[in-house]
Amino acid sequence: MESIKNLLETELSTLLAPTDDKPKPHVNLETPPDRNQGDYAFPCFRLAKTLGQKPQDLAQNLAKALGESAGVQKTALVTAVGPYVNFTIHKNVLATQILEPLFNPKAHSPKNFTWVIEYSSPNVAKPFQIYHLRTTIVGSTLAKIARRQGYNVISINHLGDWGTQYGKLAIAFEKYGDEIPANPTLHDLVRIYVQIHKDMETDPTIEPRGREAFKKLEQGDPELRSLWKKCVDISLKSFNELYARYAVNFDHIWGESFYETHLQKTLEQVERSGVLVRDDGADIVRVTDRAGHEIPPCILRKSDGASIYATRDLAAALYRYQKFGFDRMTYVVGKEQKLVFEQLFGVLRAMKVDFEPKCEHLATGLYRFKDAKMSTRKGNFVTLDEVHQLCKERALELMRGRESSQGLAPDELDAIAEKVAIAALVFADLSTDPTKDLDFDVERVVSFEGETGPYLQYAHTRCLSILRKSELQPETNSERIAAQIMQQPEIDLLRRLGRFNEACDRALDQRKPTQLTTYLIDLASDFGLFYRECKVRLPDQPDLERARLALVKATQITLNEGLALLGIPLPEKM
């Protein structure tokens, strides 16, 4: 559809600048809210005001002139509707432009644009909590969509694997090490981490001992380094199992510790810029937010000489730009870290670093269960595994009551329920504005009806079922398809198929996967109407059956690709 839109915009732009010495105005066609008004529209309000005309009169004149253009005549029907010029694309053009690329896909032309996206970033030796899912799959989905659209994407998992908490964990091992097995799991690490924080309520010596242990870790103490490495390996093993389940990948897993050797030269660079200030024994930078308002200073080195997360964040930003020369760097991190990133960007601005405007924080909302945010430190938290299991149990309950599930072996039913649970969780998250909190309800998200992940999975399996049952193959010639499809649900489905790329672009422009999830729901809805209104199995009309099978196949391909971008697995049957 982009090539059609570009052609119409060029024709309109040329018409509005008929002489060589007059620059062509920028024209951007809109999508009408009511598709019965056409595929694209040009509002005449602003231009009419400039020309001193009535918008309705200008729309009439433009529609008449465009209708006389040979290029436009071959492409679309042009009409004036009030102050708008509407374009309705001819169905043979729609079929050619939409279906041929689906049946013969080609990679998008690469963009000369490097996009670094940081996401997930869980803390080592802590469980993967449910609200970590937001940063993980929002970032993963944006990275997948951006790669599809031709961006040079570099994805990074910035593990929280350094800091005073590992000094406290060393104290926990010292106190409770005899109580855990020789080969501990992440659950064992969490248990003693929670316990040592409980002990801190009555033992004031733990906090300073933890700080001292981390200082020794930074200085290279071999025993502490070995313990730290063991905790990192245990945690990564658990995290990677979750990443595999949700189809999440990274180009680089660079934790905070990766930048350990960069910290001193980073501090020296800040000092050379003239903004580093000694305050009560600590090294700080006084900063403002992007609106110029003063915010709390950013501490880069504590009075005991130890680094903190801000030092490592700064070192990471400088290193990434030096290595990748990115055009944009997006941090997909929870909104509770808003001040942290305002301080980081403030330090970069104070240093007069050129790439600072290219950095952004996509602040994700929280999961809410009875309006409580859970805290690992008090041992009262909700893990992703726990929520996943609740969704899977609900999926099994629903599937056992469905006629289509009868006759499935227990292991087959379990495998499908696993995929349904993933779809329910992921879609509920990604279909919510990433900047908003998500009120999570298992019964609502695990449903085969409504705007849910399982509903989209079911639409895909229905497409597969139709294609399997037909004795004919889908038509692949767009002209023959266009000659057969006449019903409005067919044409509406074809139009919707042509909007997939636009939905991907909008998701990236707004940094919101909701643009893609909304599109997929609309596509499934249009397909449902087509399926109800337009019979596909037509033994006496094989040409029409093949044309309609082509629409089914195109829908299946688009749902498959769209759900893959979201990280949602697709069962063969449900």
Side-chain angles (χ1 to χ4, degrees):
M1 291 283 278
E2 284 80 1
S3 60
I4 301 175
K5 185 181 180 185
N6 291 339
L7 182 149
L8 296 174
E9 287 176 341
T10 300
E11 289 277 354
L12 186 53
S13 179
T14 302
L15 179 64
L16 295 173
T19 58
D20 293 338
D21 60 345
K22 185 177 180 181
K24 293 181 179 180
H26 177 70
V27 172
N28 186 26
L29 296 181
E30 300 178 353
T31 301
D34 181 356
R35 59 185 170 190
N36 291 324
Q37 294 178 346
D39 296 287
Y40 295 109
F42 176 67
C44 296
F45 303 100
R46 184 178 298 177
L47 182 60
K49 185 176 181 180
T50 302
L51 297 176
Q53 299 181 25
K54 292 182 178 179
Q56 293 88 340
D57 293 342
L58 179 59
Q60 290 285 348
N61 294 334
L62 288 175
K64 183 176 184 299
L66 287 165
E68 294 171 356
S69 164
V72 174
Q73 285 178 359
K74 293 178 181 178
T75 305
L77 173 68
V78 186
T79 56
V81 180
Y84 291 89
V85 178
N86 288 356
F87 301 86
T88 301
I89 312 303
H90 301 317
K91 65 174 181 174
N92 62 313
V93 177
L94 284 174
T96 300
Q97 292 290 324
I98 295 168
L99 298 179
E100 288 189 3
L102 279 174
F103 296 148
N104 302 286
K106 295 179 181 177
H108 281 243
S109 300
K111 289 179 171 62
N112 185 25
F113 193 102
T114 298
W115 192 349
V116 172
I117 307 179
E118 177 193 308
Y119 53 93
S120 195
S121 307
N123 289 317
V124 163
K126 291 184 181 180
F128 204 99
Q129 298 185 47
I130 182 61
Y131 55 82
H132 285 133
L133 184 66
R134 300 222 74 183
T135 62
T136 301
I137 61 174
V138 168
S140 175
T141 298
L142 289 176
K144 289 173 183 174
I145 297 172
R147 284 196 180 96
R148 179 191 185 273
Q149 300 303 91
Y151 290 85
N152 174 32
V153 176
I154 297 152
S155 57
I156 299 174
N157 188 355
H158 187 74
L159 285 180
D161 66 349
W162 206 242
T164 306
Q165 64 266 38
Y166 301 104
K168 296 173 187 174
L169 194 60
I171 305 302
F173 265 96
E174 181 182 304
K175 189 171 183 179
Y176 298 108
D178 293 341
E179 300 177 16
I180 61 176
N183 295 306
T185 65
L186 180 58
H187 176 77
D188 296 315
L189 299 185
V190 171
R191 180 163 54 83
I192 63 172
Y193 180 82
V194 169
Q195 186 58 52
I196 203 68
H197 276 90
K198 286 182 179 178
D199 295 347
M200 286 170 59
E201 296 175 4
T202 55
D203 185 349
T205 69
I206 293 175
E207 185 81 38
R209 287 165 60 202
R211 286 198 298 268
E212 182 62 26
F214 175 60
K215 187 175 179 181
K216 289 181 179 178
L217 177 64
E218 282 200 301
Q219 293 169 344
D221 182 284
E223 185 177 346
L224 287 171
R225 289 270 168 155
S226 176
L227 177 62
W228 166 80
K229 179 68 165 57
K230 185 176 185 178
C231 291
V232 172
D233 290 344
I234 291 168
S235 301
L236 267 178
K237 181 177 183 295
S238 176
F239 296 158
N240 286 336
E241 290 171 357
L242 287 169
Y243 293 144
R245 173 186 282 172
Y246 295 97
V248 174
N249 296 289
F250 304 93
D251 295 311
H252 304 286
I253 298 180
W254 290 338
E256 293 182 67
S257 63
F258 177 82
Y259 304 99
E260 180 194 0
T261 59
H262 298 260
L263 298 183
Q264 185 57 40
K265 64 180 181 182
T266 296
L267 288 168
E268 291 170 359
Q269 185 176 345
V270 180
E271 191 165 13
R272 285 196 303 271
S273 72
V275 299
L276 197 66
V277 177
R278 180 60 61 90
D279 183 79
D280 198 23
D283 290 327
I284 69 167
V285 178
R286 295 192 171 92
V287 291
T288 60
D289 62 19
R290 281 176 168 162
H293 301 126
E294 187 175 335
I295 56 177
C298 182
I299 300 173
L300 293 179
R301 183 161 45 197
K302 295 189 289 187
S303 57
D304 64 0
S307 67
I308 65 170
Y309 58 85
T311 330
R312 300 182 284 275
D313 283 344
L314 181 60
L318 295 169
Y319 174 80
R320 293 170 187 176
Y321 190 73
Q322 180 185 32
K323 185 172 180 64
F324 302 119
F326 54 77
D327 298 283
R328 179 186 298 146
M329 178 160 64
T330 303
Y331 296 87
V332 186
V333 181
K335 64 182 180 182
E336 66 272 21
Q337 299 298 318
K338 184 175 183 289
L339 177 60
V340 169
F341 287 101
E342 286 181 342
Q343 290 175 320
L344 171 62
F345 301 157
V347 173
L348 292 173
R349 275 195 310 281
M351 294 172 65
K352 295 182 170 54
V353 172
D354 291 342
F355 67 81
E356 184 273 333
K358 300 177 180 181
C359 301
E360 63 181 9
H361 173 210
L362 175 53
T364 58
L366 301 174
Y367 273 75
R368 296 195 302 192
F369 296 87
K370 298 180 181 179
D371 297 321
K373 178 185 174 183
M374 306 305 178
S375 167
T376 56
R377 293 193 173 188
K378 297 186 183 302
N380 181 27
F381 51 81
V382 178
T383 68
L384 176 56
D385 274 335
E386 289 172 323
V387 180
H388 178 92
Q389 188 59 33
L390 287 174
C391 290
K392 185 173 180 178
E393 290 170 1
R394 177 60 178 163
L396 281 168
E397 179 184 347
L398 290 176
M399 289 174 62
R400 290 187 181 113
R402 291 171 64 88
E403 185 177 341
S404 59
S405 301
Q406 303 306 310
L408 292 176
D411 58 341
E412 192 174 11
L413 196 65
D414 186 80
I416 295 172
E418 171 73 9
K419 292 179 178 179
V420 170
I422 294 170
L425 254 175
V426 168
F427 192 85
D429 192 313
L430 295 178
S431 61
T432 302
D433 185 323
T435 65
K436 308 294 184 184
D437 290 348
L438 170 60
D439 291 307
F440 193 84
D441 175 59
V442 172
E443 290 195 11
R444 178 178 60 83
V445 305
V446 187
S447 173
F448 294 97
E449 299 176 354
E451 299 180 2
T452 68
Y455 167 70
L456 291 176
Q457 285 178 315
Y458 182 68
H460 182 263
T461 59
R462 176 180 281 177
C463 291
L464 291 177
S465 176
I466 294 169
L467 293 168
R468 276 196 304 265
K469 291 177 180 178
S470 177
E471 297 176 358
L472 300 177
Q473 292 298 311
E475 179 61 73
T476 57
N477 183 286
S478 59
E479 290 185 5
R480 288 197 285 268
I481 295 169
Q484 291 294 325
I485 59 174
M486 301 290 183
Q487 303 299 314
Q488 194 61 44
E490 297 170 309
I491 297 170
D492 286 344
L493 178 57
L494 182 60
R495 283 174 167 170
R496 185 73 68 188
L497 288 163
R499 300 289 185 187
F500 180 48
N501 206 55
E502 293 176 15
C504 290
D505 282 338
R506 286 197 307 274
L508 296 180
D509 290 343
Q510 299 179 22
R511 319 290 193 269
K512 291 182 179 180
T514 46
Q515 291 295 324
L516 180 55
T517 59
T518 298
Y519 167 81
L520 292 173
I521 289 293
D522 290 341
L523 174 61
S525 177
D526 283 343
F527 175 74
L529 180 61
F530 158 79
Y531 181 72
R532 292 190 299 273
E533 300 292 329
C534 304
K535 188 176 181 181
V536 177
R537 295 293 300 277
L538 298 163
D540 297 331
Q541 297 175 277
D543 291 343
L544 180 56
E545 180 172 339
R546 280 192 288 267
R548 288 180 174 173
L549 285 171
L551 293 178
V552 175
K553 181 63 176 176
T555 303
Q556 182 267 320
I557 291 171
T558 305
L559 284 172
N560 187 307
E561 185 176 5
L563 292 172
L565 292 173
L566 303 181
I568 291 178
L570 294 171
E572 289 291 314
K573 53 186 176 180
M574 294 176 71

